[in-house]
Amino acid sequence: MSTPPHSRRLPVAFALITAATLVLTGCGSGDAAETAGGAGPAGKGARIPTADVVSSVKKNEAAARLLPRDVRDRGTLGIASSVGGSPPGALYLADGRTIVGQDIDFADAAAKVLGLKLKREAASFEAILPALGSGKYDLGTGNFGVTDERRKTIDFVTYINDGQGFAVREDSRLKKVTDFEQLCGLNVATGAGTTFEVTLEDNKHVCEEAGKKPYAVKTYAEQSAIWAALQQGRADVVMSTINGLRYAVKQQEGLKFLGEYRRLDVGFAFKKDTKLAPAFRAAVDQLIKDGTYDRILRKWGTQGSAIEKSRISPPEIKD
């Protein structure tokens, strides 16, 4: 690690929180007023928004007719959801069984538009995309960014626009990351199997080309482990989702968000050449039209991720 250890001791509570205690406070408005209690990162009783924004969604016959006949007859789909332990994506409530989050609301709402029931199974982020290709699941959620590499083997139906960003301790010399050369010599923590890991590995060459020590990529399966690494000095910077980083720095004293690095469309994931994509695109567009879409975003405080319409496997956003 090339930067000196942070000069003041940070609370370690955030590093110890479980998926059940990573909760959202004050990020939304309106619907977010309805909440369930939970222990926050500093033990202050932070709360998870629990407003019901899905049960009122009605089936749209035109969208449902786009489904393959066998799916309409069966009436169910198997879905794999990555539960990373941090809002707004997906996390467990304190009972350790109930999964909530923005990804969950969007999938459930789209299914209601199509008149389907989802059979949900929690799965690790890195396992979901390969499992779609094998037919184990019909679709997956996990804040999956749409990249050109992923589009070779996976189809996506977009529902938000999120992206990549960085966060550091307040004592960091970094002010804003606009070039990977700024990371040279540092330890960068990120999620295993994510677009962040791929992006970091693909850009290591910039340090060597500049005659500098390469940065080290430290990957973790759990969000709590990522933040523990940052707080305890084993990592100098975290690369993750824009929405997730904004949430985390609000919850933990001594951290700062360095801003957006790049944007990515995020979508439901399906096996390549799926027949389900047109129906799910129509479902997302219907949610936008009837106002459910906006209610979900307001619930989770992510209005900045809104899209105007859904698309099927659009080209990767290039800055």
Side-chain angles (χ1 to χ4, degrees):
M1 162 176 173
S2 62
T3 53
H6 43 303
S7 57
R8 62 187 180 86
R9 181 175 179 144
L10 293 172
V12 298
F14 195 89
L16 302 176
I17 46 182
T18 64
T21 58
L22 274 162
V23 288
L24 186 67
T25 57
C27 294
S29 59
D31 295 324
E34 294 182 45
T35 56
K44 296 181 179 180
R47 296 183 177 274
I48 301 169
T50 59
D52 180 0
V53 292
V54 175
S55 65
S56 63
V57 175
K58 304 298 183 184
K59 179 179 179 180
N60 182 278
E61 294 294 343
R65 282 195 296 272
L66 296 174
L67 289 167
R69 179 174 292 278
D70 64 320
V71 175
R72 294 202 308 270
D73 292 343
R74 187 170 71 243
T76 62
L77 286 177
I79 181 172
S81 295
S82 172
V83 187
S86 178
L91 69 155
Y92 286 105
L93 291 180
D95 63 11
R97 299 184 305 275
T98 305
I99 304 173
V100 299
Q102 178 174 259
D103 286 346
I104 307 305
D105 282 344
F106 273 123
D108 289 349
K112 289 206 69 174
V113 170
L114 299 174
L116 299 173
K117 291 185 181 296
L118 296 179
K119 294 182 178 180
R120 178 172 282 110
E121 181 177 321
S124 64
F125 179 92
E126 60 270 26
I128 292 177
L129 298 186
L132 292 173
S134 71
K136 183 176 182 179
Y137 308 109
D138 296 302
L139 72 154
T141 58
N143 207 70
F144 289 114
V146 182
T147 67
D148 290 340
E149 184 64 27
R150 284 177 173 169
R151 290 194 306 131
K152 294 176 183 177
T153 57
I154 296 292
D155 281 343
F156 294 94
V157 173
T158 62
Y159 58 93
I160 60 168
N161 178 271
D162 194 350
Q164 302 174 335
F166 295 91
V168 294
R169 297 184 300 272
E170 286 183 344
D171 62 357
S172 173
R173 62 175 174 78
L174 290 174
K175 303 302 180 184
K176 185 175 177 64
V177 176
T178 58
D179 189 295
F180 281 91
E181 189 177 336
Q182 295 170 263
L183 302 177
C184 295
L186 302 180
N187 291 321
V188 186
T190 194
T194 62
T195 57
F196 315 112
E197 180 183 5
V198 173
T199 300
L200 288 166
E201 293 291 351
D202 286 350
N203 285 276
K204 271 187 173 180
H205 63 89
V206 302
C207 297
E208 297 177 4
E209 292 169 359
K212 298 180 180 180
K213 180 181 178 181
Y215 53 78
V217 182
K218 308 292 185 180
T219 60
Y220 301 89
E222 300 293 334
Q223 287 292 314
S224 57
I226 293 174
W227 296 109
L230 181 64
Q231 292 186 27
Q232 295 169 7
R234 289 178 283 111
D236 304 292
V237 57
V238 168
M239 186 178 189
S240 190
T241 66
I242 294 167
N243 288 332
L245 291 172
R246 283 178 171 150
Y247 163 79
V249 300
K250 289 180 180 178
Q251 297 302 302
Q252 179 56 45
E253 180 183 356
L255 302 181
K256 62 181 178 181
F257 175 54
L258 295 186
E260 301 179 5
Y261 177 72
R262 64 176 298 207
R263 282 275 175 174
L264 278 176
D265 288 316
V266 171
F268 300 118
F270 304 85
K271 68 178 180 180
K272 192 66 178 176
D273 299 322
T274 179
K275 303 298 185 183
L276 297 171
F280 272 81
R281 178 178 60 184
V284 174
D285 287 344
Q286 175 61 26
L287 294 174
I288 294 172
K289 180 180 179 180
D290 70 19
T292 302
Y293 184 86
D294 180 63
R295 288 191 290 273
I296 293 174
L297 292 181
R298 286 191 291 116
K299 174 181 176 179
W300 295 103
T302 55
Q303 296 94 318
S305 286
I307 59 174
E308 293 184 358
K309 63 179 181 178
S310 179
R311 295 190 293 168
I312 297 174
S313 297
E316 181 177 348
I317 296 173
K318 304 288 188 180
D319 295 330

